[in-house]
Amino acid sequence: MNKLQLEEPKRQSPVGVAVIFFRNLRIAVNILVTAIFVQFGTAFSILGLSIYQIAIILGIIFLIISYLQYRRFFFFVKDDKFIIEKGLISRDKITIPFDRIQTVNIRQNIIQQLLSVVALKIDTAGSKGKEMEIAALEKSYARELQKFLIEKKELESEDADEATTEKKEKPFEISSEGKEPLVHLGLTELLKVGLTENHLRSGIFLFAVINGYIWQYEEYLLKPFEPFLKEQANNILAQGLILVPLALVLFVVISVVFSLIQTLLRYYDLRFYVNLKGVQLKSGLLRRNEYQIPVNKIQQIKWKSNPLRAWVKLRTLVIKQASSEETSDKQSVSVPGSSPRQLITVLQEFFPERSKKILTTLAPQNLLFIQLAVWLAIIPSFVLGASYFFNAPLYWLTPVYLLLAIFFIYRYYHSVKLVLMPEVLELKKGWFYPSATYVKFYKLQNVKLKQSIFQKRRKLMSITFYTAAGDVTMPHLKAEEAKAIYNYCLYKIESSTQSWM
Amino acid sequence: MLLENLKIDPSELPDIEETAFEKLEPDYLWMRLTGWGLFFVVALGVLIVVNFTSEAPAWLFFGPWGLLLVLVFFVEIRGFGIKGYAIRQKDVSYKSGLIWFSMTSVPLNRIQHCEVSQGPLGRLFELASVRVYTAGGSSSDLSIRGLKKEQAHRLRDYITRLSAEYE
């Protein structure tokens, strides 16, 4: 506390001006480029000033604004709260009680890397969309502050539950100094991970982004080619048969390249540490991210894979923590190139009681197969088949589609399993994209039973397990099994005194 | 709490099915029907205007309208008896749904906070609902609707007091 000098309102590191400036610049460029440049081109002028002069003037204005923003940004500690004050015209005061802090993460984008400062981001449960980032701090100071906040937070939450007799844990600290990471992605592994990304998703994402930009800058990008395109139009139509497969190949190649670049940027020099206190992840090329999750914050541990990645014997490990938004896999700690052995190490670390005793393994009833087959195979087949009457060219695909769909659905149906252990539940799902989620019973915060009229006749129920980091559903169990699990979950939660969040 | 280490027999666990669920206020059914009634009146108005300006036969508009009306009112009235809530020593439960039945329980030691809310129709019928918040996203929150206003406040205070014991 003394070292941090937080009793008095404190400013960021002076180079924060630059960090804020570039942040503002990025926002401004995004807005201005689309608004002005595209509308008027370089010929744009106001009050007899050329676009370059305007750029310089705007730049100076931004610099002043950034400097003022820096001057007016304070953070300090008052009583049991961490307070951030900011804002040029309207003063914003963000108050974070220590016990509301969920995580404190350190980030670094390229500007911050050049200026050797880091950003500190504070996440709370429940408050959506509040910016709680200190953009520029000396690295050592940020680390101290991170440690201080987490310690404070732990103390606060412990004071709050005096009723429990749990022994006081030491303040959380995962130091990775001088230790071997469990997973370290070198260039070979990175290449493997990049080549086995979900290329279809990358491709579609890229296509969507580029498509959006092309329409924005349409005039500039396509106009020069217009005469050429017109001239070629007839030829192109004739060559359509060649061009379509060519476009497909191009799409695949670009998707793979894009996946590779994305992987390199996100996972470069990934180091993943595990110990009894929690997990820590460092990764990234231009923007170095650092995440840590203390062990009591871990809500779900999950692995998933895809056919390509499974083929090189790698899986993606995902560790989910409590979050105010619905946690998508991107927001949680994700280690894309873990070997099965490393996965087991992690599971063993956090669920040592796992696999010692499996109470029971449950499979969904065949209504799952029937429902999926009706919705995803039979109805689409009817639509596809009916297209015959409208002279659509692809109706002959119907039987191929039907067979393939039924096959995939059958394999999927057989892959769904709920494994119950005394303290942990495991939900396996997926054949093409296999995954398994592990949740400790006492981490649940809500259980739900569902029964549609189709299930009612067959005496089936689905059960959904909610954690602070999202939910998992086991479909179509026998009603009495589902109810027994429901009662068991409630019993496990209600008899637990461990801190779950 | 020593329960944790005890060996337990699943059949001896407290069974949610044996808990008597409290029924909601009958007024709440009237409130829901009023809400739907307003919706159908507005929809009818829109359909009449559309019908005047279009050449398609009238039944094409009013048929589905009537069908939906009958269906919604049937589901509301038949489904009302299914709705209910239960407060046990250590959790809060709510169930509902004729076509898609669902029952959910939030243990008191997982409740973040709890509040009473009342919409415009609720003010008219003097009904309110108690919303129980858990951590994380909103998908796991629980709402007990259709309570008398004083009762809702009492319930909120009760749940808040019980859940505070765990913090």
Side-chain angles (χ1 to χ4, degrees), chain A residues 135-376:
Chain A
L137 291 173
E138 308 282 334
K139 199 166 183 183
S140 57
Y141 187 85
R143 233 173 248 291
E144 285 289 318
L145 183 58
Q146 181 187 31
K147 212 169 116 189
F148 167 79
L149 287 174
I150 292 172
E151 269 171 29
K152 273 285 181 194
K153 178 227 146 47
E154 299 280 307
L155 280 176
E156 282 297 318
S157 13
E158 268 166 36
D159 283 349
D161 47 36
E162 282 166 334
T164 62
T165 50
E166 220 182 333
K167 64 172 189 288
K168 292 214 167 187
E169 287 166 49
K170 276 191 193 128
F172 158 69
E173 179 188 350
I174 308 165
S175 83
S176 55
E177 314 302 328
K179 253 188 301 173
E180 278 291 295
L182 176 69
V183 181
H184 177 215
L185 296 186
L187 274 180
T188 350
E189 286 92 349
L190 214 56
L191 197 68
K192 273 190 194 172
V193 168
L195 287 174
T196 59
E197 280 285 295
N198 190 341
H199 299 304
L200 195 64
R201 201 177 50 198
S202 318
I204 289 171
F205 175 72
L206 191 69
F207 182 75
V209 169
I210 288 178
N211 207 18
Y213 269 94
I214 285 186
W215 290 122
Q216 264 183 25
Y217 304 113
E218 185 190 21
E219 265 181 73
Y220 293 90
L221 290 173
L222 295 184
K223 228 175 198 165
F225 299 104
E226 224 161 61
F228 170 76
L229 284 175
K230 266 188 190 144
E231 204 175 287
Q232 296 290 316
N234 290 326
N235 284 341
I236 286 174
L237 272 182
Q239 289 165 357
L241 281 175
I242 304 168
L243 278 178
V244 168
L246 210 73
L248 274 177
V249 171
L250 200 68
F251 178 77
V252 170
V253 170
I254 291 177
S255 301
V256 172
V257 170
F258 182 64
S259 300
L260 272 174
I261 293 171
Q262 230 185 358
T263 307
L264 193 68
L265 290 178
R266 254 189 92 187
Y267 299 123
Y268 177 77
D269 191 28
L270 179 145
R271 284 160 195 272
F272 178 67
Y273 302 88
V274 178
N275 62 28
L276 271 175
K277 300 244 176 74
V279 299
Q280 187 182 37
L281 181 85
K282 297 175 181 176
S283 74
L285 184 63
L286 296 181
R287 175 199 276 267
R288 200 92 182 123
N289 281 331
E290 203 181 302
Y291 290 103
Q292 23 185 299
I293 308 182
V295 65
N296 57 349
K297 291 271 179 292
I298 297 175
Q299 302 290 338
Q300 296 179 17
I301 294 185
K302 178 180 173 183
W303 66 259
K304 53 183 187 173
S305 198
N306 62 43
L308 280 175
R309 196 162 283 178
W311 185 58
V312 295
K313 295 198 173 61
L314 286 180
R315 285 164 174 183
T316 307
L317 168 71
V318 182
I319 295 179
K320 293 189 180 183
Q321 62 176 331
S323 144
S324 45
E325 295 123 57
E326 299 296 327
T327 329
S328 78
D329 290 347
K330 295 252 165 186
Q331 283 162 321
S332 33
V333 162
S334 155
V335 187
S338 323
S339 67
R341 182 187 297 253
Q342 288 162 335
L343 266 176
I344 288 172
T345 312
V346 173
L347 291 174
Q348 214 52 40
E349 188 85 38
F350 298 117
F351 307 134
E353 62 286 88
R354 185 189 69 100
S355 78
K356 257 184 216 152
K357 196 178 161 204
I358 289 177
L359 293 177
T360 166
T361 301
L362 298 170
Q365 300 295 306
N366 59 13
L367 183 60
L368 176 65
F369 178 70
I370 298 170
Q371 282 192 341
L372 288 174
V374 167
W375 288 108
L376 299 176

Side-chain angles (χ1 to χ4, degrees), chain B residues 34-96:
Chain B
T34 311
W36 279 114
L38 286 174
F39 168 78
F40 278 107
V41 167
V42 172
L44 186 65
V46 173
L47 285 180
I48 287 173
V49 173
V50 173
N51 186 35
F52 265 116
T53 54
S54 146
E55 283 165 18
W59 61 265
L60 210 64
F61 298 106
F62 299 111
W65 180 83
L67 216 65
L68 205 65
L69 182 105
V70 171
L71 192 74
V72 163
F73 274 66
F74 175 78
V75 170
E76 282 294 340
I77 293 167
R78 281 297 296 275
F80 189 72
I82 296 172
K83 292 190 170 81
Y85 68 95
I87 315 282
R88 297 195 293 180
Q89 201 185 351
K90 282 168 180 272
D91 52 34
V92 192
S93 309
Y94 185 76
K95 60 175 189 174
S96 70

Side-chain angles (χ1 to χ4, degrees), chain B residues 21 28 34 44 65 67 69 74 83 87 92 103 108-109 114 125 130 144 146 148 157:
Chain B
F21 275 71
Y28 181 57
T34 311
L44 186 65
W65 180 83
L67 216 65
L69 182 105
F74 175 78
K83 292 190 170 81
I87 315 282
V92 192
M103 174 165 72
L108 294 173
N109 56 354
C114 183
F125 284 84
V130 171
I144 301 173
K148 282 229 168 68
D157 294 342

Side-chain angles (χ1 to χ4, degrees), chain A residues 365 451 454-461 477-480:
Chain A
Q365 300 295 306
Q451 189 176 47
F454 305 106
Q455 290 175 307
K456 196 169 185 174
R457 267 198 321 200
R458 296 159 194 257
K459 296 198 168 58
L460 302 180
M461 278 184 158
L477 287 172
K478 285 184 191 139
E480 63 268 29

Side-chain angles (χ1 to χ4, degrees), chain A residues 404-419:
Chain A
L404 261 180
I406 294 279
F407 173 71
F408 272 82
I409 289 165
Y410 183 76
R411 297 306 295 254
Y412 175 81
Y413 158 63
H414 272 290
S415 73
V416 179
K417 291 271 181 312
L418 176 66
V419 184

